Amino acid sequence: MNEKVLSVNNLVISFKTDNGLVRAVRDVSFELNKGETLCIVGESGSGKSVTSKAIMGILAKNAIIENGSIIYDGENLLEVSEEEFYKIRGHKIGMIFQDPLSSLNPIVKIGKQITEAMLINSDKLKLMYEDLISKDLIAYKNVIAKRNIEINNAKKQFDLFASKAKDKTLSKEAKDKLLVEIKAKKQELNQVILELKKECQEKIKPLKEQLDITKKEAKLKVKAYKRDIIAKKNNDIAPLKAKLKLANGKEKQAIKKEMAQIKLETTNKLKITKAEAKRRAIAIMKEVGIPEPERRFKQFPFEFSGGMRQRIVIAIALTANPEILICDEPTTALDVTIQAQILELINRIKEERHLSCIFITHDLGVVANMADRIAVMYAGKIVEYGTAEEVFFDPRHPYTWALLSSIPDVDSKEKLDAIPGTPPNMIYPPKGDAFAERSKYAMKIDFMMEPPFFKITDTHYAATWLLDSRAPKVEMPKIVSERIRLSLKGENDHE
Ligand SMILES: Nc1ncnc2c1ncn2[C@@H]1O[C@H](COP(=O)(O)OP(=O)(O)OP(=O)(O)O)[C@@H](O)[C@H]1O
Ligand SMILES: [Mg+2]
């Protein structure tokens, strides 16, 4: 049975711009299972980055989350408070971006950038305290965060409505009518806000009481823990002190060394020291394949090649020991050989650390050796969703066919068929199947009605009217079927 680590449900995200609402993500749902790599593939502008930014909680300010939930560890990430989000973002979900330079500070040495994150959270007692209270704190903060989100959403909806008044083409009559409506909506809004606040007050009271109790208990626990550590240190050191008085020169040296060691161990139990952070950083640099990490630790980003920089970015993401790694086109800026090395690295780290991975790319060819499952996105929607095998060997959506046709040939390296046309303007997403305008397989209905997801197998779905029983039978492009035939033949030949 697959264990689900993350699920995105019916996510709808738009951006407010001067030209209108950009419908960036339109009802996207998917799941990430433990230990798997899910690849999200689609052309520029299809909504891949916006989806992953929503998971990370780093959407631009003009984003409106209109609908949906992102469930991680039982929490809806769209509802948790900023503080808790930061914790999850920093600790449990790591992200690697396309351009390694933009995620590194050019004037800070590599070593410092890797250790920084560890040292910010260096007080182990504080971490222990936070861990002890986190569950109750989240419950408490969530109620407030949820209220704030609801208030914000109501305000945004109102703003959106009120912005209609800016329309210069309105007649005076229409405008007056609109202004009356806006006034009424404003009153409605104030009422809604008042009620939300009241509701929140009631819910929050028992949670706050519980939190205060938990905080008190946690303080006592941390205090006791610290006391035990110090007591153990004193216990261990006392006999050495006695010995020291009677010892001769050589013995003294050894005893002092032993005492220093005990002190160091005690410190390490209480906090992450700079030395420990450095040791860990160098170990992670080694893990991601940086040669001579001790020397490299003291260098600046410009002294690293593009591939090495991307390795550092991966190292930084790993310092927090994440459970999920989101890679947003991590190899697009790199040349082909380096690209292959970074993909191999991500694959290896994923295996060794049992990570679950979301890998974003516009090139299906890149993910052939990585993906367990693939979600193909077009114009803010997932149009096909299946295991890698299903999407590569039994693709059903014309857009997936187009993507497969455009994978460069391994031998000739030449791109076969560029996808004709351009993706739609997302302020006015097309009705029906958004890809219809560019598809030679489009039928009349594709321009009128949005296709539902047709189930092909328990794991394979595609949103295309071609799968409707009334649709004419069509063949996928020759170039795709030929490739599939050849690679299947190749596989059989190997057996
Ligand atoms: N802050 C913003 N304001 C307005 N529109 C935005 C904003 N951020 C993203 N968009 C729009 O949302 C849509 C989806 O963008 P997104 O960055 O997710 O695309 P993508 O699939 O990651 O593409 P690429 O392959 O180019 O990275 C695009 O139309 C983009 O212009
Ligand atoms: Mg992107």
Side-chain angles (χ1 to χ4, degrees), residues 108-123:
V108 175
K109 286 180 182 162
I110 289 294
K112 184 152 190 239
Q113 298 197 47
I114 304 177
T115 53
E116 226 162 35
M118 299 186 219
L119 290 171
I120 286 174
N121 296 314
S122 67
D123 186 339

Side-chain angles (χ1 to χ4, degrees), residues 38-62:
L38 170 74
C39 287
I40 302 182
V41 193
E43 272 167 302
S44 187
S46 53
K48 308 180 298 288
S49 294
V50 172
T51 305
S52 51
K53 282 181 184 164
I55 298 173
M56 295 297 288
I58 50 171
L59 284 169
K61 283 240 153 44
N62 60 334

